[in-house]
Amino acid sequence: MNIGDVAERSGLPAKTIRYYEDIGLVRPGRDTNGYRRFCESDLHKLAFLGRARSLGFSIEDCRSLMALYEDRARTSFEVREIARDHLARIERKLEELQEMHKTLSHLVAECAGDDRPDCPILRDLASHGGACGGEP
Amino acid sequence: MNIGDVAERSGLPAKTIRYYEDIGLVRPGRDTNGYRRFCESDLHKLAFLGRARSLGFSIEDCRSLMALYEDRARTSFEVREIARDHLARIERKLEELQEMHKTLSHLVAECAGDDRPDCPILRDLASHGGACGGEP
DNA sequence: TCTTGACCTTCCAGTTGATGGAAGCCCTAT
DNA sequence: ATAGGGCTTCCATCAACTGGAAGGTCAAGA
């Protein structure tokens, strides 16, 4: 398979696949003309990577997960630790976004959104942390 | 005020303040020795930026919001549109993260996390044909 | 006066995970 | 022979900083 076929079958853009080779996540062979030649197991690896990335795992996590996947002596403990850490990061991010959402949705709801200059959103931005009250 | 004072009073790292000057968000004066000299209104701007960034607005949004803040002829409509767009982005991101969280927390719960190699997490990663997150 | 140490300056590089584009081979079909 | 795709490499760019090196400035203390 050439890179175009693998791109289509894995759902990853060719650019991304080249990048993954660059950083050592896959090692396709080469044809005499210099083209990358992928085998089924490369395709499988790329699908694995795509799935892991779609779950938000970092590239470094993906590297570790692939290594564990290919290591028959792995323990499910090791895998779960990576997933747990990632889950914790997701939870922190969720809380952060939920907090932003709460504040912003209140502000948007309070704002008239008309042709007048008065705006609770700008008031909020201007009033946090320090010097208030000059211009507009 | 020197940059250290402004950093302390605005809560932004000095590095970040220099960066904001670099990209034209603030324009502090200079002392004869080359040091940046900040006035109260610079500090106020930086606090505004810090607050906007903490609500997740992009730098370009911040630039627009600052411009509106300083424009007496602005309309609250313009401000609200920026905030609404940002809110929509936050909502999309939240949904995405919630989906990841759901999948991952199931997988983590199913995984024994012991010294055996069998692992539902790796099975999931390996079993999805395409790259994009979808159904099991 | 000299020195120490904190503070300031600029510039360069790296982070994450790709993505866009240019210049130029390779292959097949007409 | 030429046109068109597809493939190659390399370089630049995105966000929003952050770290560090090399060096100038300033106030205080011995």
PDB file of all heavy atoms in Angstrom, chain B residues 15-51:
ATOM      1  N   LYS B  15       7.150  37.652  31.538  1.00  0.00           N
ATOM      2  CA  LYS B  15       7.335  37.111  30.195  1.00  0.00           C
ATOM      3  C   LYS B  15       6.093  37.332  29.336  1.00  0.00           C
ATOM      4  O   LYS B  15       6.184  37.682  28.157  1.00  0.00           O
ATOM      5  CB  LYS B  15       7.588  35.602  30.284  1.00  0.00           C
ATOM      6  CG  LYS B  15       9.032  35.252  30.511  1.00  0.00           C
ATOM      7  CD  LYS B  15       9.776  35.169  29.178  1.00  0.00           C
ATOM      8  CE  LYS B  15      11.163  34.614  29.383  1.00  0.00           C
ATOM      9  NZ  LYS B  15      12.030  34.802  28.208  1.00  0.00           N
ATOM     10  N   THR B  16       4.970  37.079  29.920  1.00  0.00           N
ATOM     11  CA  THR B  16       3.699  37.224  29.201  1.00  0.00           C
ATOM     12  C   THR B  16       3.440  38.683  28.851  1.00  0.00           C
ATOM     13  O   THR B  16       2.974  38.998  27.750  1.00  0.00           O
ATOM     14  CB  THR B  16       2.564  36.666  30.074  1.00  0.00           C
ATOM     15  OG1 THR B  16       2.835  35.291  30.323  1.00  0.00           O
ATOM     16  CG2 THR B  16       1.218  36.804  29.395  1.00  0.00           C
ATOM     17  N   ILE B  17       3.783  39.566  29.761  1.00  0.00           N
ATOM     18  CA  ILE B  17       3.579  40.994  29.507  1.00  0.00           C
ATOM     19  C   ILE B  17       4.464  41.458  28.353  1.00  0.00           C
ATOM     20  O   ILE B  17       4.020  42.182  27.467  1.00  0.00           O
ATOM     21  CB  ILE B  17       3.852  41.802  30.787  1.00  0.00           C
ATOM     22  CG1 ILE B  17       2.828  41.397  31.868  1.00  0.00           C
ATOM     23  CG2 ILE B  17       3.803  43.297  30.507  1.00  0.00           C
ATOM     24  CD1 ILE B  17       3.122  41.964  33.239  1.00  0.00           C
ATOM     25  N   ARG B  18       5.713  40.991  28.350  1.00  0.00           N
ATOM     26  CA  ARG B  18       6.603  41.329  27.223  1.00  0.00           C
ATOM     27  C   ARG B  18       6.026  40.784  25.919  1.00  0.00           C
ATOM     28  O   ARG B  18       6.057  41.456  24.885  1.00  0.00           O
ATOM     29  CB  ARG B  18       8.000  40.740  27.438  1.00  0.00           C
ATOM     30  CG  ARG B  18       8.785  41.469  28.485  1.00  0.00           C
ATOM     31  CD  ARG B  18      10.259  41.069  28.474  1.00  0.00           C
ATOM     32  NE  ARG B  18      10.845  41.434  29.755  1.00  0.00           N
ATOM     33  CZ  ARG B  18      11.056  40.570  30.745  1.00  0.00           C
ATOM     34  NH1 ARG B  18      10.792  39.284  30.585  1.00  0.00           N
ATOM     35  NH2 ARG B  18      11.542  40.990  31.888  1.00  0.00           N
ATOM     36  N   TYR B  19       5.494  39.589  26.005  1.00  0.00           N
ATOM     37  CA  TYR B  19       4.891  38.986  24.822  1.00  0.00           C
ATOM     38  C   TYR B  19       3.689  39.807  24.348  1.00  0.00           C
ATOM     39  O   TYR B  19       3.525  40.055  23.156  1.00  0.00           O
ATOM     40  CB  TYR B  19       4.469  37.551  25.149  1.00  0.00           C
ATOM     41  CG  TYR B  19       3.649  36.888  24.083  1.00  0.00           C
ATOM     42  CD1 TYR B  19       4.194  36.601  22.840  1.00  0.00           C
ATOM     43  CD2 TYR B  19       2.322  36.556  24.320  1.00  0.00           C
ATOM     44  CE1 TYR B  19       3.433  35.983  21.860  1.00  0.00           C
ATOM     45  CE2 TYR B  19       1.550  35.933  23.351  1.00  0.00           C
ATOM     46  CZ  TYR B  19       2.113  35.656  22.122  1.00  0.00           C
ATOM     47  OH  TYR B  19       1.356  35.057  21.153  1.00  0.00           O
ATOM     48  N   TYR B  20       2.889  40.266  25.260  1.00  0.00           N
ATOM     49  CA  TYR B  20       1.730  41.090  24.898  1.00  0.00           C
ATOM     50  C   TYR B  20       2.174  42.410  24.258  1.00  0.00           C
ATOM     51  O   TYR B  20       1.499  42.933  23.391  1.00  0.00           O
ATOM     52  CB  TYR B  20       0.839  41.344  26.115  1.00  0.00           C
ATOM     53  CG  TYR B  20       0.025  40.152  26.548  1.00  0.00           C
ATOM     54  CD1 TYR B  20      -0.734  40.176  27.720  1.00  0.00           C
ATOM     55  CD2 TYR B  20      -0.002  38.979  25.786  1.00  0.00           C
ATOM     56  CE1 TYR B  20      -1.490  39.076  28.115  1.00  0.00           C
ATOM     57  CE2 TYR B  20      -0.734  37.876  26.181  1.00  0.00           C
ATOM     58  CZ  TYR B  20      -1.479  37.931  27.346  1.00  0.00           C
ATOM     59  OH  TYR B  20      -2.225  36.835  27.741  1.00  0.00           O
ATOM     60  N   GLU B  21       3.298  42.922  24.716  1.00  0.00           N
ATOM     61  CA  GLU B  21       3.807  44.120  24.045  1.00  0.00           C
ATOM     62  C   GLU B  21       4.258  43.775  22.624  1.00  0.00           C
ATOM     63  O   GLU B  21       3.941  44.493  21.668  1.00  0.00           O
ATOM     64  CB  GLU B  21       4.989  44.725  24.805  1.00  0.00           C
ATOM     65  CG  GLU B  21       5.456  46.041  24.170  1.00  0.00           C
ATOM     66  CD  GLU B  21       6.789  46.538  24.699  1.00  0.00           C
ATOM     67  OE1 GLU B  21       7.493  45.764  25.366  1.00  0.00           O
ATOM     68  OE2 GLU B  21       7.115  47.708  24.425  1.00  0.00           O
ATOM     69  N   ASP B  22       4.945  42.654  22.529  1.00  0.00           N
ATOM     70  CA  ASP B  22       5.428  42.169  21.240  1.00  0.00           C
ATOM     71  C   ASP B  22       4.324  42.104  20.195  1.00  0.00           C
ATOM     72  O   ASP B  22       4.520  42.473  19.034  1.00  0.00           O
ATOM     73  CB  ASP B  22       5.983  40.749  21.426  1.00  0.00           C
ATOM     74  CG  ASP B  22       7.412  40.638  20.983  1.00  0.00           C
ATOM     75  OD1 ASP B  22       8.175  41.562  21.293  1.00  0.00           O
ATOM     76  OD2 ASP B  22       7.746  39.640  20.329  1.00  0.00           O
ATOM     77  N   ILE B  23       3.179  41.592  20.584  1.00  0.00           N
ATOM     78  CA  ILE B  23       2.083  41.423  19.635  1.00  0.00           C
ATOM     79  C   ILE B  23       1.137  42.618  19.654  1.00  0.00           C
ATOM     80  O   ILE B  23       0.042  42.567  19.093  1.00  0.00           O
ATOM     81  CB  ILE B  23       1.307  40.109  19.898  1.00  0.00           C
ATOM     82  CG1 ILE B  23       0.688  40.101  21.295  1.00  0.00           C
ATOM     83  CG2 ILE B  23       2.224  38.910  19.719  1.00  0.00           C
ATOM     84  CD1 ILE B  23      -0.189  38.884  21.552  1.00  0.00           C
ATOM     85  N   GLY B  24       1.576  43.672  20.320  1.00  0.00           N
ATOM     86  CA  GLY B  24       0.847  44.935  20.204  1.00  0.00           C
ATOM     87  C   GLY B  24      -0.395  45.092  21.062  1.00  0.00           C
ATOM     88  O   GLY B  24      -1.241  45.932  20.769  1.00  0.00           O
ATOM     89  N   LEU B  25      -0.503  44.328  22.123  1.00  0.00           N
ATOM     90  CA  LEU B  25      -1.680  44.474  22.991  1.00  0.00           C
ATOM     91  C   LEU B  25      -1.504  45.590  24.008  1.00  0.00           C
ATOM     92  O   LEU B  25      -2.486  46.161  24.474  1.00  0.00           O
ATOM     93  CB  LEU B  25      -1.981  43.158  23.718  1.00  0.00           C
ATOM     94  CG  LEU B  25      -2.581  42.038  22.867  1.00  0.00           C
ATOM     95  CD1 LEU B  25      -2.762  40.782  23.692  1.00  0.00           C
ATOM     96  CD2 LEU B  25      -3.914  42.480  22.269  1.00  0.00           C
ATOM     97  N   VAL B  26      -0.277  45.877  24.381  1.00  0.00           N
ATOM     98  CA  VAL B  26       0.027  47.037  25.236  1.00  0.00           C
ATOM     99  C   VAL B  26       1.250  47.753  24.668  1.00  0.00           C
ATOM    100  O   VAL B  26       2.058  47.144  23.973  1.00  0.00           O
ATOM    101  CB  VAL B  26       0.346  46.638  26.701  1.00  0.00           C
ATOM    102  CG1 VAL B  26      -0.916  46.356  27.484  1.00  0.00           C
ATOM    103  CG2 VAL B  26       1.294  45.454  26.745  1.00  0.00           C
ATOM    104  N   ARG B  27       1.329  49.016  24.967  1.00  0.00           N
ATOM    105  CA  ARG B  27       2.454  49.814  24.478  1.00  0.00           C
ATOM    106  C   ARG B  27       3.023  50.663  25.607  1.00  0.00           C
ATOM    107  O   ARG B  27       2.803  51.880  25.628  1.00  0.00           O
ATOM    108  CB  ARG B  27       1.991  50.751  23.357  1.00  0.00           C
ATOM    109  CG  ARG B  27       1.732  50.060  22.049  1.00  0.00           C
ATOM    110  CD  ARG B  27       1.105  51.034  21.035  1.00  0.00           C
ATOM    111  NE  ARG B  27       0.073  50.354  20.267  1.00  0.00           N
ATOM    112  CZ  ARG B  27       0.328  49.474  19.282  1.00  0.00           C
ATOM    113  NH1 ARG B  27       1.577  49.184  18.976  1.00  0.00           N
ATOM    114  NH2 ARG B  27      -0.658  48.893  18.635  1.00  0.00           N
ATOM    115  N   PRO B  28       3.734  50.032  26.529  1.00  0.00           N
ATOM    116  CA  PRO B  28       4.315  50.800  27.625  1.00  0.00           C
ATOM    117  C   PRO B  28       5.390  51.753  27.091  1.00  0.00           C
ATOM    118  O   PRO B  28       5.957  51.496  26.030  1.00  0.00           O
ATOM    119  CB  PRO B  28       4.938  49.724  28.508  1.00  0.00           C
ATOM    120  CG  PRO B  28       5.204  48.585  27.598  1.00  0.00           C
ATOM    121  CD  PRO B  28       4.096  48.610  26.591  1.00  0.00           C
ATOM    122  N   GLY B  29       5.643  52.834  27.845  1.00  0.00           N
ATOM    123  CA  GLY B  29       6.742  53.714  27.481  1.00  0.00           C
ATOM    124  C   GLY B  29       8.066  53.097  27.873  1.00  0.00           C
ATOM    125  O   GLY B  29       8.126  51.964  28.325  1.00  0.00           O
ATOM    126  N   ARG B  30       9.131  53.882  27.668  1.00  0.00           N
ATOM    127  CA  ARG B  30      10.455  53.397  28.043  1.00  0.00           C
ATOM    128  C   ARG B  30      11.178  54.463  28.856  1.00  0.00           C
ATOM    129  O   ARG B  30      11.111  55.659  28.530  1.00  0.00           O
ATOM    130  CB  ARG B  30      11.297  53.103  26.791  1.00  0.00           C
ATOM    131  CG  ARG B  30      10.790  51.962  25.954  1.00  0.00           C
ATOM    132  CD  ARG B  30      11.123  50.615  26.574  1.00  0.00           C
ATOM    133  NE  ARG B  30      10.521  49.527  25.813  1.00  0.00           N
ATOM    134  CZ  ARG B  30      11.022  48.299  25.752  1.00  0.00           C
ATOM    135  NH1 ARG B  30      12.121  48.001  26.408  1.00  0.00           N
ATOM    136  NH2 ARG B  30      10.419  47.361  25.073  1.00  0.00           N
ATOM    137  N   ASP B  31      11.885  54.013  29.866  1.00  0.00           N
ATOM    138  CA  ASP B  31      12.769  54.911  30.609  1.00  0.00           C
ATOM    139  C   ASP B  31      14.059  55.104  29.812  1.00  0.00           C
ATOM    140  O   ASP B  31      14.313  54.384  28.847  1.00  0.00           O
ATOM    141  CB  ASP B  31      13.104  54.306  31.978  1.00  0.00           C
ATOM    142  CG  ASP B  31      12.010  54.601  32.992  1.00  0.00           C
ATOM    143  OD1 ASP B  31      11.256  55.578  32.772  1.00  0.00           O
ATOM    144  OD2 ASP B  31      11.897  53.858  33.982  1.00  0.00           O
ATOM    145  N   THR B  32      14.863  56.062  30.258  1.00  0.00           N
ATOM    146  CA  THR B  32      16.126  56.313  29.546  1.00  0.00           C
ATOM    147  C   THR B  32      17.063  55.102  29.609  1.00  0.00           C
ATOM    148  O   THR B  32      17.892  54.908  28.718  1.00  0.00           O
ATOM    149  CB  THR B  32      16.860  57.520  30.158  1.00  0.00           C
ATOM    150  OG1 THR B  32      16.860  57.367  31.580  1.00  0.00           O
ATOM    151  CG2 THR B  32      16.162  58.824  29.799  1.00  0.00           C
ATOM    152  N   ASN B  33      16.914  54.280  30.623  1.00  0.00           N
ATOM    153  CA  ASN B  33      17.765  53.094  30.729  1.00  0.00           C
ATOM    154  C   ASN B  33      17.243  51.919  29.896  1.00  0.00           C
ATOM    155  O   ASN B  33      17.832  50.842  29.916  1.00  0.00           O
ATOM    156  CB  ASN B  33      17.919  52.675  32.195  1.00  0.00           C
ATOM    157  CG  ASN B  33      16.583  52.355  32.843  1.00  0.00           C
ATOM    158  OD1 ASN B  33      15.565  52.233  32.160  1.00  0.00           O
ATOM    159  ND2 ASN B  33      16.578  52.223  34.141  1.00  0.00           N
ATOM    160  N   GLY B  34      16.152  52.130  29.191  1.00  0.00           N
ATOM    161  CA  GLY B  34      15.626  51.067  28.350  1.00  0.00           C
ATOM    162  C   GLY B  34      14.538  50.233  29.002  1.00  0.00           C
ATOM    163  O   GLY B  34      13.890  49.436  28.351  1.00  0.00           O
ATOM    164  N   TYR B  35      14.356  50.430  30.290  1.00  0.00           N
ATOM    165  CA  TYR B  35      13.322  49.675  31.003  1.00  0.00           C
ATOM    166  C   TYR B  35      11.940  50.128  30.539  1.00  0.00           C
ATOM    167  O   TYR B  35      11.715  51.303  30.267  1.00  0.00           O
ATOM    168  CB  TYR B  35      13.424  49.911  32.513  1.00  0.00           C
ATOM    169  CG  TYR B  35      14.597  49.233  33.200  1.00  0.00           C
ATOM    170  CD1 TYR B  35      15.700  48.784  32.485  1.00  0.00           C
ATOM    171  CD2 TYR B  35      14.585  49.073  34.582  1.00  0.00           C
ATOM    172  CE1 TYR B  35      16.770  48.178  33.133  1.00  0.00           C
ATOM    173  CE2 TYR B  35      15.655  48.462  35.235  1.00  0.00           C
ATOM    174  CZ  TYR B  35      16.748  48.025  34.506  1.00  0.00           C
ATOM    175  OH  TYR B  35      17.794  47.437  35.150  1.00  0.00           O
ATOM    176  N   ARG B  36      11.006  49.171  30.501  1.00  0.00           N
ATOM    177  CA  ARG B  36       9.623  49.539  30.216  1.00  0.00           C
ATOM    178  C   ARG B  36       9.047  50.314  31.392  1.00  0.00           C
ATOM    179  O   ARG B  36       9.280  49.956  32.553  1.00  0.00           O
ATOM    180  CB  ARG B  36       8.770  48.292  29.987  1.00  0.00           C
ATOM    181  CG  ARG B  36       9.058  47.574  28.687  1.00  0.00           C
ATOM    182  CD  ARG B  36       8.409  46.205  28.665  1.00  0.00           C
ATOM    183  NE  ARG B  36       8.752  45.483  27.449  1.00  0.00           N
ATOM    184  CZ  ARG B  36       9.877  44.810  27.266  1.00  0.00           C
ATOM    185  NH1 ARG B  36      10.777  44.748  28.225  1.00  0.00           N
ATOM    186  NH2 ARG B  36      10.123  44.197  26.120  1.00  0.00           N
ATOM    187  N   ARG B  37       8.291  51.358  31.086  1.00  0.00           N
ATOM    188  CA  ARG B  37       7.604  52.072  32.159  1.00  0.00           C
ATOM    189  C   ARG B  37       6.105  52.018  31.926  1.00  0.00           C
ATOM    190  O   ARG B  37       5.598  52.512  30.919  1.00  0.00           O
ATOM    191  CB  ARG B  37       8.059  53.518  32.247  1.00  0.00           C
ATOM    192  CG  ARG B  37       7.484  54.228  33.494  1.00  0.00           C
ATOM    193  CD  ARG B  37       7.921  55.674  33.545  1.00  0.00           C
ATOM    194  NE  ARG B  37       7.771  56.273  32.228  1.00  0.00           N
ATOM    195  CZ  ARG B  37       8.623  57.155  31.694  1.00  0.00           C
ATOM    196  NH1 ARG B  37       9.684  57.519  32.368  1.00  0.00           N
ATOM    197  NH2 ARG B  37       8.400  57.652  30.494  1.00  0.00           N
ATOM    198  N   PHE B  38       5.399  51.408  32.872  1.00  0.00           N
ATOM    199  CA  PHE B  38       3.957  51.210  32.743  1.00  0.00           C
ATOM    200  C   PHE B  38       3.194  52.243  33.553  1.00  0.00           C
ATOM    201  O   PHE B  38       3.583  52.586  34.679  1.00  0.00           O
ATOM    202  CB  PHE B  38       3.573  49.823  33.251  1.00  0.00           C
ATOM    203  CG  PHE B  38       4.178  48.695  32.449  1.00  0.00           C
ATOM    204  CD1 PHE B  38       5.464  48.258  32.717  1.00  0.00           C
ATOM    205  CD2 PHE B  38       3.468  48.088  31.427  1.00  0.00           C
ATOM    206  CE1 PHE B  38       6.033  47.216  31.974  1.00  0.00           C
ATOM    207  CE2 PHE B  38       4.018  47.047  30.687  1.00  0.00           C
ATOM    208  CZ  PHE B  38       5.303  46.616  30.967  1.00  0.00           C
ATOM    209  N   CYS B  39       2.111  52.743  32.985  1.00  0.00           N
ATOM    210  CA  CYS B  39       1.235  53.633  33.746  1.00  0.00           C
ATOM    211  C   CYS B  39       0.003  52.848  34.195  1.00  0.00           C
ATOM    212  O   CYS B  39      -0.168  51.679  33.843  1.00  0.00           O
ATOM    213  CB  CYS B  39       0.835  54.830  32.897  1.00  0.00           C
ATOM    214  SG  CYS B  39      -0.124  54.363  31.456  1.00  0.00           S
ATOM    215  N   GLU B  40      -0.839  53.527  34.978  1.00  0.00           N
ATOM    216  CA  GLU B  40      -2.026  52.855  35.518  1.00  0.00           C
ATOM    217  C   GLU B  40      -2.911  52.274  34.415  1.00  0.00           C
ATOM    218  O   GLU B  40      -3.494  51.205  34.572  1.00  0.00           O
ATOM    219  CB  GLU B  40      -2.847  53.827  36.370  1.00  0.00           C
ATOM    220  CG  GLU B  40      -2.243  54.138  37.733  1.00  0.00           C
ATOM    221  CD  GLU B  40      -2.105  52.913  38.643  1.00  0.00           C
ATOM    222  OE1 GLU B  40      -2.967  52.027  38.588  1.00  0.00           O
ATOM    223  OE2 GLU B  40      -1.096  52.853  39.380  1.00  0.00           O
ATOM    224  N   SER B  41      -2.987  52.982  33.306  1.00  0.00           N
ATOM    225  CA  SER B  41      -3.899  52.488  32.269  1.00  0.00           C
ATOM    226  C   SER B  41      -3.326  51.245  31.577  1.00  0.00           C
ATOM    227  O   SER B  41      -4.076  50.380  31.122  1.00  0.00           O
ATOM    228  CB  SER B  41      -4.247  53.591  31.269  1.00  0.00           C
ATOM    229  OG  SER B  41      -3.432  53.534  30.141  1.00  0.00           O
ATOM    230  N   ASP B  42      -1.992  51.149  31.526  1.00  0.00           N
ATOM    231  CA  ASP B  42      -1.390  49.907  31.025  1.00  0.00           C
ATOM    232  C   ASP B  42      -1.759  48.750  31.954  1.00  0.00           C
ATOM    233  O   ASP B  42      -2.125  47.659  31.499  1.00  0.00           O
ATOM    234  CB  ASP B  42       0.139  50.026  30.971  1.00  0.00           C
ATOM    235  CG  ASP B  42       0.605  51.004  29.899  1.00  0.00           C
ATOM    236  OD1 ASP B  42      -0.010  51.050  28.825  1.00  0.00           O
ATOM    237  OD2 ASP B  42       1.593  51.734  30.152  1.00  0.00           O
ATOM    238  N   LEU B  43      -1.638  49.030  33.227  1.00  0.00           N
ATOM    239  CA  LEU B  43      -1.972  48.009  34.221  1.00  0.00           C
ATOM    240  C   LEU B  43      -3.425  47.572  34.078  1.00  0.00           C
ATOM    241  O   LEU B  43      -3.750  46.378  34.121  1.00  0.00           O
ATOM    242  CB  LEU B  43      -1.731  48.580  35.625  1.00  0.00           C
ATOM    243  CG  LEU B  43      -2.087  47.672  36.797  1.00  0.00           C
ATOM    244  CD1 LEU B  43      -1.310  46.371  36.744  1.00  0.00           C
ATOM    245  CD2 LEU B  43      -1.839  48.395  38.117  1.00  0.00           C
ATOM    246  N   HIS B  44      -4.276  48.539  33.871  1.00  0.00           N
ATOM    247  CA  HIS B  44      -5.700  48.270  33.714  1.00  0.00           C
ATOM    248  C   HIS B  44      -5.954  47.398  32.486  1.00  0.00           C
ATOM    249  O   HIS B  44      -6.708  46.428  32.532  1.00  0.00           O
ATOM    250  CB  HIS B  44      -6.448  49.606  33.613  1.00  0.00           C
ATOM    251  CG  HIS B  44      -7.932  49.459  33.670  1.00  0.00           C
ATOM    252  ND1 HIS B  44      -8.788  50.303  33.013  1.00  0.00           N
ATOM    253  CD2 HIS B  44      -8.709  48.553  34.292  1.00  0.00           C
ATOM    254  CE1 HIS B  44     -10.032  49.922  33.232  1.00  0.00           C
ATOM    255  NE2 HIS B  44     -10.024  48.871  34.007  1.00  0.00           N
ATOM    256  N   LYS B  45      -5.280  47.740  31.409  1.00  0.00           N
ATOM    257  CA  LYS B  45      -5.390  46.937  30.193  1.00  0.00           C
ATOM    258  C   LYS B  45      -4.946  45.500  30.437  1.00  0.00           C
ATOM    259  O   LYS B  45      -5.582  44.543  29.980  1.00  0.00           O
ATOM    260  CB  LYS B  45      -4.491  47.516  29.091  1.00  0.00           C
ATOM    261  CG  LYS B  45      -5.104  48.621  28.285  1.00  0.00           C
ATOM    262  CD  LYS B  45      -4.210  48.909  27.078  1.00  0.00           C
ATOM    263  CE  LYS B  45      -4.663  50.151  26.338  1.00  0.00           C
ATOM    264  NZ  LYS B  45      -3.847  50.377  25.122  1.00  0.00           N
ATOM    265  N   LEU B  46      -3.833  45.363  31.140  1.00  0.00           N
ATOM    266  CA  LEU B  46      -3.308  44.019  31.384  1.00  0.00           C
ATOM    267  C   LEU B  46      -4.256  43.203  32.255  1.00  0.00           C
ATOM    268  O   LEU B  46      -4.428  41.999  32.035  1.00  0.00           O
ATOM    269  CB  LEU B  46      -1.915  44.111  32.012  1.00  0.00           C
ATOM    270  CG  LEU B  46      -0.839  44.557  31.019  1.00  0.00           C
ATOM    271  CD1 LEU B  46       0.452  44.949  31.727  1.00  0.00           C
ATOM    272  CD2 LEU B  46      -0.568  43.457  29.997  1.00  0.00           C
ATOM    273  N   ALA B  47      -4.878  43.875  33.222  1.00  0.00           N
ATOM    274  CA  ALA B  47      -5.848  43.169  34.054  1.00  0.00           C
ATOM    275  C   ALA B  47      -7.046  42.728  33.204  1.00  0.00           C
ATOM    276  O   ALA B  47      -7.553  41.607  33.343  1.00  0.00           O
ATOM    277  CB  ALA B  47      -6.308  44.075  35.192  1.00  0.00           C
ATOM    278  N   PHE B  48      -7.462  43.614  32.307  1.00  0.00           N
ATOM    279  CA  PHE B  48      -8.549  43.299  31.379  1.00  0.00           C
ATOM    280  C   PHE B  48      -8.179  42.069  30.546  1.00  0.00           C
ATOM    281  O   PHE B  48      -8.955  41.112  30.424  1.00  0.00           O
ATOM    282  CB  PHE B  48      -8.765  44.519  30.473  1.00  0.00           C
ATOM    283  CG  PHE B  48      -9.883  44.413  29.467  1.00  0.00           C
ATOM    284  CD1 PHE B  48     -11.102  45.051  29.694  1.00  0.00           C
ATOM    285  CD2 PHE B  48      -9.709  43.721  28.279  1.00  0.00           C
ATOM    286  CE1 PHE B  48     -12.132  44.979  28.754  1.00  0.00           C
ATOM    287  CE2 PHE B  48     -10.737  43.639  27.342  1.00  0.00           C
ATOM    288  CZ  PHE B  48     -11.952  44.279  27.580  1.00  0.00           C
ATOM    289  N   LEU B  49      -6.977  42.084  30.013  1.00  0.00           N
ATOM    290  CA  LEU B  49      -6.503  40.963  29.199  1.00  0.00           C
ATOM    291  C   LEU B  49      -6.444  39.670  30.012  1.00  0.00           C
ATOM    292  O   LEU B  49      -6.862  38.606  29.547  1.00  0.00           O
ATOM    293  CB  LEU B  49      -5.108  41.273  28.641  1.00  0.00           C
ATOM    294  CG  LEU B  49      -5.063  42.344  27.560  1.00  0.00           C
ATOM    295  CD1 LEU B  49      -3.620  42.761  27.275  1.00  0.00           C
ATOM    296  CD2 LEU B  49      -5.728  41.825  26.291  1.00  0.00           C
ATOM    297  N   GLY B  50      -5.943  39.795  31.224  1.00  0.00           N
ATOM    298  CA  GLY B  50      -5.833  38.621  32.083  1.00  0.00           C
ATOM    299  C   GLY B  50      -7.201  38.013  32.363  1.00  0.00           C
ATOM    300  O   GLY B  50      -7.369  36.792  32.299  1.00  0.00           O
ATOM    301  N   ARG B  51      -8.150  38.876  32.613  1.00  0.00           N
ATOM    302  CA  ARG B  51      -9.503  38.383  32.876  1.00  0.00           C
ATOM    303  C   ARG B  51     -10.092  37.733  31.621  1.00  0.00           C
ATOM    304  O   ARG B  51     -10.669  36.644  31.686  1.00  0.00           O
ATOM    305  CB  ARG B  51     -10.389  39.544  33.341  1.00  0.00           C
ATOM    306  CG  ARG B  51     -11.854  39.232  33.482  1.00  0.00           C
ATOM    307  CD  ARG B  51     -12.133  38.257  34.614  1.00  0.00           C
ATOM    308  NE  ARG B  51     -13.552  38.030  34.817  1.00  0.00           N
ATOM    309  CZ  ARG B  51     -14.052  36.974  35.454  1.00  0.00           C
ATOM    310  NH1 ARG B  51     -13.249  36.065  35.967  1.00  0.00           N
ATOM    311  NH2 ARG B  51     -15.353  36.836  35.603  1.00  0.00           N
TER     312      ARG B  51
END
